[in-house]
Amino acid sequence: MSADPEDAPSSGAGVERVEGDGEPRYRAFWADEVADEIEARDPDEPIVIKGGVSPSGVAHLGNFNEIMRGYFVAEVLRERGREVRQVFTSDDRDPLRKLPRKLADTDGNVVGLGDVDAGALGRNLGKPYTDIPDPFGEAESYAAHFAALLKADADRLNVPVEMVSNTELYESGAFEEVIRRVLERVETAREVLAKYQDKVDEGYVPFNPICGNCGKITETVTDVDLDSGTVSYVCTDMEAGERTIDGCGHEGTATLRQGKLPWRFEWPAQWQVLGVDFEPFGKDHAEGSWPSGEDIARNVLGIEPPVPMVYEWFTLNGEPLSSSAGNVVTVAEVLELLEPEVLRYFFVRNPKRAKDFDVSRLDLLVDEFDRFERIYFGEEEVDPKLERLADRAYPLVVDEVREDRVRLPYTFAAVLGMTDDRDLRERMARNQGHITDETPEWAIEEALERVKQARTWAERMDNQYNYRLQAALPEVDFDPETEAALDELADFVEEGRDGEEIQGEIYEVARRHDVPVGDFFEAGYRLFFDATQGPRLGEFLGELDPEFVVARLRREG
RNA sequence: GGGCCGGUAGCUCAGUUAGGCAGAGCGUCUGGCUUUUAACCAGACGGUCGGGGGUUCGAAUCCCUCCCGGCCCGCCA
């Protein structure tokens, strides 16, 4: 892959020649390095960036690695004045090999297999995803259902990706020429693939017809007739992991549009048909299908493979993403907890490093994004390298660069989420200086959006921010000293005091009545939150309607 | 067994291209805000940069070697 260093700048990923001085400059953003590599090959426009996935079940955040990595490269190229298409193939002629444990309904809600007709689905094992009905009965097919969900998620992140159906490419004949070429050169195809797969033998034919009788993908080709453009097959059993999917025994013929290439050939075929210039892929492909694909592209198809990029998988809550184990999160779910720009930012970071997406500590990710943003606006002094990254990547992460935006710290937003009162939320944010008289209305609205998200997060995680201001008086039972202290505190609040004064008075009044301060706070939390802990009490109460606070302290309502 | 990618503070991660004082945030601790109660501020603690060896005036960074983790080397994608 890599060329001689003397070839710079074309081979010099990460280095560019700045006009005039000839000094190489460090590339702060990985997407610029990739873009350099692509441009060095002098590609035709539009430049095509591809990704792809088998629409086998829930489209989870892991699938977005590919989409987002491609997106940043696409954006960088567009910024350089290039025309770019980002396509994403739904590899939907792949057969259903096993039943997924989790599905997602039309609205993207994750449901279990038990919520659909699993039996009906089971009868479709071995068939292409596009030939299986949508388990939710709405889309054209199983494949269409999940492809639509993926597209919806891409839209949510404002990533303009063109979905391409693989089945469509077969049916329309787009693949036909490539398939013909592979079959014409079947000896070469076998030789090349045999270098990577031991099982390739004399009889191996890199084409899997669809059985005309039962509709399953077959694996036993008995004859190839390129003059008529057909292959003969026997519908034999298919090994799918631990299990075997029974063939029906049917013997028939199929055209080159009625079947599929095995993945190792299909991938390079996509490169050719779609004219792919760049393809990011997970590390599972790095030592498997990429080397063989590269070889097949050059030596069977006679094309140059795209610029590759291997990305490291990230973990979810410290564990590998796994649909079968249920360790998945969808884009829609994440976007209930944070802004799209924060999620996009997650993918700005080095693709080579394994990252953890820790939902319980989303506050850290959001804080990191906020900091990244401040760095961009020069509001924070940091390491110059990080500054260059922010300069470069931040505008690609947000929909619009707006210096007037306001970001409430995520945990503070979670505190504001303890009340439903929008005006109260705003008042508290003002008191903390996050909102000023100069803050434009749109910025206030958007800042408060985060409160909803942080509130949802606190509820989901049931963490230290999951307290709720109680609208009705909780059931309480205090000793006489505590009651007297509460009454006195109520009188104090009634005089019209601010939060700071109330906070101080809590200590004073507790002492005067010989109530341990801790116990007295607990009483307060019980009254207002029906809990034993909570936010800074006095200052919180100082923001509430005094009449409400007084009545509650007097246990009247 | 072979290959690829990782391993940097308790946690999450920058920094590794092109060698130049070991970094950030969070957490923890201490202090401040009249005040043990989670929002704010200041400070401190925290490291054999996975281990060992080598090159170098100088190594997290380059070389060798070993350990650990993930992935690939069957099928499928």
Side-chain angles (χ1 to χ4, degrees):
Chain A
M1 234 352 278
S2 64
D4 191 86
E6 296 306 311
D7 290 348
S10 64
S11 70
V15 173
E16 73 167 356
R17 299 290 172 184
V18 175
E19 270 177 60
D21 59 10
E23 279 299 305
R25 195 179 69 182
Y26 166 78
R27 287 292 203 190
F29 188 26
W30 56 266
D32 272 310
E33 299 184 5
V34 175
D36 288 348
E37 250 186 279
I38 296 168
E39 288 200 306
R41 294 166 42 151
D42 199 16
D44 291 336
E45 295 191 37
I47 293 172
V48 176
I49 289 174
K50 191 184 96 60
V53 73
S54 203
S56 55
V58 181
H60 57 71
L61 198 55
N63 301 127
F64 273 79
N65 227 328
E66 207 145 305
I67 290 180
M68 296 310 297
R69 302 303 181 184
Y71 167 74
F72 284 120
V73 174
E75 284 296 291
V76 162
L77 286 167
R78 286 183 187 118
E79 207 167 64
R80 296 185 189 183
R82 299 287 192 161
E83 195 190 333
V84 183
R85 280 179 73 201
Q86 186 180 359
V87 302
F88 198 78
T89 57
S90 174
D91 296 336
D92 49 11
R93 186 151 267 192
D94 298 347
L96 176 67
R97 315 188 109 253
K98 61 176 182 187
L99 297 184
R101 202 169 299 178
K102 302 245 174 178
L103 301 159
D105 68 18
T106 309
D107 298 321
N109 302 308
V110 176
V111 301
L113 186 58
D115 294 321
V116 299
D117 187 345
L121 210 49
R123 285 190 287 280
N124 287 302
L125 283 169
K127 289 188 197 172
Y129 290 113
T130 37
D131 290 340
I132 300 172
D134 174 11
F136 300 93
E138 294 185 23
E140 206 173 300
S141 68
Y142 187 102
H145 172 78
F146 287 109
L149 289 178
L150 194 72
K151 173 69 171 130
D153 283 344
D155 289 345
R156 287 184 175 101
L157 287 173
N158 220 353
V159 174
V161 58
E162 279 175 56
M163 297 296 294
V164 172
S165 159
N166 225 26
T167 291
E168 184 66 31
L169 293 177
Y170 283 107
E171 285 179 350
S172 70
F175 270 145
E176 196 163 336
E177 204 181 310
V178 193
I179 296 169
R180 188 173 281 275
R181 181 176 175 94
V182 169
L183 294 180
E184 275 167 2
R185 312 189 63 193
V186 68
E187 284 300 329
T188 312
R190 281 179 196 139
E191 278 169 32
V192 172
L193 189 60
K195 286 189 272 179
Y196 306 92
Q197 294 190 340
D198 296 337
K199 278 206 169 169
V200 175
D201 57 21
E202 284 305 297
Y204 181 82
V205 177
F207 187 72
N208 304 119
I210 297 170
C211 177
N213 181 49
C214 69
K216 291 173 187 166
I217 300 280
T218 66
E219 295 186 329
T220 309
V221 171
T222 52
D223 188 46
V224 176
D225 182 351
L226 287 177
D227 293 332
S228 68
T230 57
V231 299
S232 304
Y233 61 87
V234 184
C235 185
T236 51
D237 295 352
M238 172 167 60
E239 299 298 325
E242 311 278 287
R243 288 184 215 145
T244 301
I245 298 172
D246 296 335
C248 71
H250 178 70
E251 295 182 25
T253 60
T255 68
L256 301 186
R257 298 185 185 194
Q258 297 167 325
K260 81 182 287 290
L261 291 164
W263 167 248
R264 296 283 176 127
F265 289 91
E266 190 175 69
W267 204 21
Q270 290 175 332
W271 298 337
Q272 175 166 5
V273 166
L274 299 170
V276 179
D277 298 293
F278 171 61
E279 175 115 17
F281 47 86
K283 61 177 181 176
D284 53 335
H285 289 306
E287 294 302 309
S289 36
W290 171 255
S292 68
E294 204 178 12
D295 203 343
I296 287 168
R298 293 207 175 96
N299 298 314
V300 179
L301 304 185
I303 61 163
E304 191 55 24
V307 171
M309 185 183 82
V310 181
Y311 57 82
E312 186 76 13
W313 291 344
F314 61 87
T315 50
L316 175 62
N317 303 324
E319 299 291 328
L321 279 103
S322 164
S323 304
S324 54
N327 195 42
V328 290
V329 66
T330 64
V331 168
E333 286 170 330
V334 171
L335 292 182
E336 288 173 29
L337 307 177
L338 42 72
E339 296 98 335
E341 51 266 43
V342 180
L343 185 51
R344 285 199 290 256
Y345 166 74
F346 181 73
F347 294 103
V348 161
R349 304 191 295 183
N350 191 344
K352 289 278 191 209
R353 302 287 185 130
K355 302 279 194 278
D356 186 43
F357 191 85
D358 185 350
V359 180
S360 71
R361 297 314 311 272
L362 278 190
D363 55 314
L364 296 181
L365 176 63
V366 177
D367 284 350
E368 197 180 307
F369 166 81
D370 289 352
R371 180 158 174 267
F372 183 69
E373 185 172 65
R374 289 195 301 275
I375 292 167
Y376 174 81
F377 287 117
E379 296 163 5
E380 193 160 329
E381 289 292 312
V382 288
D383 167 16
K385 283 186 179 178
L386 191 51
E387 237 165 66
R388 282 202 295 274
L389 176 63
D391 278 349
R392 186 72 190 110
Y394 175 77
L396 308 180
V397 165
V398 291
D399 287 330
E400 206 184 330
V401 174
R402 294 177 302 186
E403 195 158 11
D404 287 342
R405 91 282 167 239
V406 170
R407 305 283 184 192
L408 302 176
Y410 197 73
T411 53
F412 177 64
V415 170
L416 298 192
M418 294 176 192
T419 170
D420 280 330
D421 187 335
R422 187 218 172 272
D423 291 338
L424 175 54
R425 289 173 175 179
E426 184 179 334
R427 241 178 10 252
M428 291 171 83
R430 276 184 198 279
N431 281 347
Q432 288 296 317
H434 296 299
I435 296 174
T436 68
D437 292 343
E438 278 77 51
T439 308
E441 192 54 36
W442 63 261
I444 297 174
E445 286 306 316
E446 288 185 19
L448 291 176
E449 272 303 297
R450 184 175 276 182
V451 176
K452 290 180 196 163
Q453 294 162 340
R455 175 66 204 160
T456 305
W457 173 71
E459 285 173 4
R460 296 256 166 96
M461 296 297 110
D462 191 21
N463 59 16
Q464 60 197 349
Y465 300 97
N466 188 19
Y467 297 109
R468 204 78 179 129
L469 183 63
Q470 300 294 303
L473 178 66
E475 204 169 303
V476 289
D477 180 22
F478 301 125
D479 57 49
E481 292 77 19
T482 302
E483 292 195 337
L486 286 170
D487 288 337
E488 237 178 85
L489 185 62
D491 295 342
F492 184 81
V493 173
E494 203 167 30
E495 292 165 12
R497 305 291 188 155
D498 67 22
E500 217 170 303
E501 290 172 317
I502 297 171
Q503 179 75 4
E505 182 66 8
I506 291 173
Y507 290 89
E508 299 298 325
V509 86
R511 284 197 193 111
R512 285 203 297 274
H513 291 272
D514 277 330
V515 178
V517 172
D519 291 357
F520 193 56
F521 268 101
E522 200 173 311
Y525 290 124
R526 181 60 64 195
L527 276 175
F528 288 91
F529 297 98
D530 200 15
T532 56
Q533 298 176 329
R536 225 168 179 22
L537 190 58
E539 292 173 29
F540 197 92
L541 297 186
E543 304 295 340
L544 303 177
D545 172 25
E547 276 184 45
F548 167 78
V549 175
V550 169
R552 179 60 53 86
L553 288 171
R554 289 178 177 152
R555 285 92 61 210
E556 290 166 355

